[in-house]
Every structure is written in C-alpha cells, then in structure tokens.
Amino acid sequence: GENVEQHPSTLSVQEGDSAVIKCTYSDSASNYFPWYKQELGKGPQLIIDIRSNVGEKKDQRIAVTLNKTAKHFSLHITETQPEDSAVYFCAASNFGNEKLTFGTGTRLTIIP
Amino acid sequence: DTAVSQTPKYLVTQMGNDKSIKCEQNLGHDTMYWYKQDSKKFLKIMFSYNNKELIINETVPNRFSPKSPDKAHLNLHINSLELGDSAVYFCASSKRLASGTSSYNEQFFGPGTRLTVL
C-alpha cells in the first residue's frame, strides 16, 4: 500500500518569512495530493490540492509543487501570518480510490 | 448549519465499557469515513462507507463496528474499550464521482470526538 513520509515534524518561522513542508510517497499509481490544515481542537480542512497532470498550483500565499519522477511534493507558504500556525498534513491517493494516506504531520509555529 | 457533526465531543469512560460515537453530514455526500488520530497526531483511516455499504475496512480490531443507517449517518460503536483506544476520532464525508471521471472530491472532516479510556 501507499506510504507517505512528511518532514519536518515541527517548523518555526518568523512572521513574514516563508515555510516549506515536504512529503514523499511510495506508490507510483497515486495521482492526487491534497494538503490539510488542522487548527487546535478542530478537524483537518483542505487548503490546496494538486493532481498529477500539473507540476505546480498556487492559491494566494499557498503553493504546492509536485515532482512525479522523484515522488515528492511540497507545500510553500509565503508571507506567513500568526493564523498560519497549525498542524499541516499531506496526503496521497488515486482517482476512484477514496482512501487517503496521510503523512505524519508538521506543526508549524509562526513567531510574531 | 454544520456540515459534518459528531457527538459527543468528549467521551471519558472506563476500560471494558461499550460506547458509541455518532456522525451526521448534511452535505448530500454519499461516502463517509472514520479516522483515528493518536496522541502523536498520526491520522489513519479506519472505515469507509458508500451508500451504506462498507468499502474500506482497514486492520481494525473487531471491537470496532461501524453502522450506517442511511447515507447521512455513520456511527461508530466500540465494545470492551481498552486504554489504547484513547484517541481523537474524526468522521469525514465526500461525494463519490461517477465512474470514468478523472477527478477527486474533497473530504470534509467533522470536529472530532476525544475519547479517553481510564
């Protein structure tokens, strides 16, 4: 089955700086890669996703890149703000398969 | 107007007891899930139902039994609770796309139920 590794497990950045979280996956059949943000005491919420037919996707301050050859994808947050502090999860799946395999999470702390 | 709701939010119980967690979604989705998040925040799928039929059943002790009375509800019953069952349990839902489509739908998560077994 699919295995997703995520690094780093914790990340602290100064407000205004950029944050990068990286994930690798094992199953070459995976073609859907969402990123979820989990705030304290809440359930995970989708913030951005990317499909295997594109290499990069951007939504305001958030961007995701995908390298299918190397089987890794990354989340980039620019101009970080205190409200970006949360746990971020990457995940992988393939079309038609409802099963999402999650990474181990990254606790991001934005230092004011 | 909550999209995916779970009850209770907190559940504290003794070892050996039987307990249930309820989940309801009002999004019109046809697929629902149960996830377990342990103390290290690791999120792992347990079960998935589509139109009341079980489609994903990971390696979960048979003390855990999901029940889907209709498409909008997926409850989780746990028998003979053990200390290791302490975790946060999340319900989620999504809409399965027609076969042949090349897309994937977002999973919407509930707020979680924190289960503590003493």
Side-chain angles (χ1 to χ4, degrees):
Chain A
E2 175 65 276
N3 181 50
V4 178
E5 295 189 358
Q6 183 172 345
H7 300 280
S9 57
T10 60
L11 179 61
S12 295
V13 301
Q14 289 292 139
E15 183 178 352
D17 288 350
S18 296
V20 180
I21 303 171
K22 299 182 179 182
C23 289
T24 60
Y25 61 98
S26 62
D27 188 351
S28 57
S30 290
N31 50 20
Y32 173 70
F33 307 94
W35 285 88
Y36 282 80
K37 176 183 181 182
Q38 185 178 18
E39 296 178 338
L40 192 62
K42 297 184 179 180
Q45 183 177 14
L46 181 75
I47 54 171
I48 195 169
D49 57 17
I50 190 167
R51 288 155 173 79
S52 59
N53 57 347
V54 297
E56 184 173 357
K57 182 177 179 181
K58 191 173 181 180
D59 182 5
Q60 299 182 344
R61 297 186 297 108
I62 295 174
V64 57
T65 58
L66 171 66
N67 183 327
K68 283 217 73 176
T69 304
K71 292 191 201 154
H72 63 70
F73 55 113
S74 300
L75 177 72
H76 303 252
I77 306 174
T78 59
E79 301 172 19
T80 53
Q81 300 169 3
E83 54 265 35
D84 295 330
S85 293
V87 178
Y88 291 80
F89 292 95
C90 61
S93 183
N94 59 60
F95 298 145
N97 178 358
E98 282 88 355
K99 180 180 175 181
L100 280 177
T101 299
F102 282 86
T104 48
T106 297
R107 183 177 299 278
L108 174 63
T109 302
I110 307 303
I111 304 166
Chain B
D1 57 353
T2 305
V4 181
S5 60
Q6 296 178 226
T7 54
K9 187 166 176 63
Y10 299 97
L11 184 53
V12 181
T13 188
Q14 298 287 330
M15 238 179 4
N17 284 351
D18 303 339
K19 290 293 179 185
S20 292
I21 306 171
K22 295 185 177 181
C23 177
E24 177 181 4
Q25 54 92 7
N26 62 4
L27 297 167
H29 290 166
D30 53 6
T31 306
M32 297 184 72
Y33 313 78
W34 277 109
Y35 285 86
K36 179 180 181 181
Q37 187 171 48
D38 62 23
S39 58
K40 295 182 180 179
K41 294 290 188 180
F42 189 58
L43 199 60
K44 187 169 170 57
I45 191 166
M46 301 172 68
F47 303 101
S48 175
Y49 271 73
N50 176 262
N51 283 322
K52 302 193 297 177
E53 288 190 27
L54 183 66
I55 54 172
I56 295 175
N57 186 353
E58 294 295 286
T59 308
V60 177
N62 57 15
R63 298 182 296 102
F64 290 78
S65 51
K67 295 259 188 321
S68 182
D70 55 58
K71 287 195 305 183
H73 296 84
L74 180 62
N75 304 323
L76 183 65
H77 188 77
I78 315 170
N79 289 328
S80 304
L81 279 156
E82 300 177 356
L83 293 176
D85 298 333
S86 294
V88 180
Y89 292 84
F90 287 100
C91 176
S93 73
S94 67
K95 186 166 180 60
R96 178 181 267 190
L97 296 166
S99 60
T101 56
S102 57
S103 189
Y104 189 98
N105 262 348
E106 174 183 356
Q107 289 187 21
F108 289 80
F109 283 77
T113 295
R114 181 175 293 278
L115 171 64
T116 302
V117 182
L118 303 175

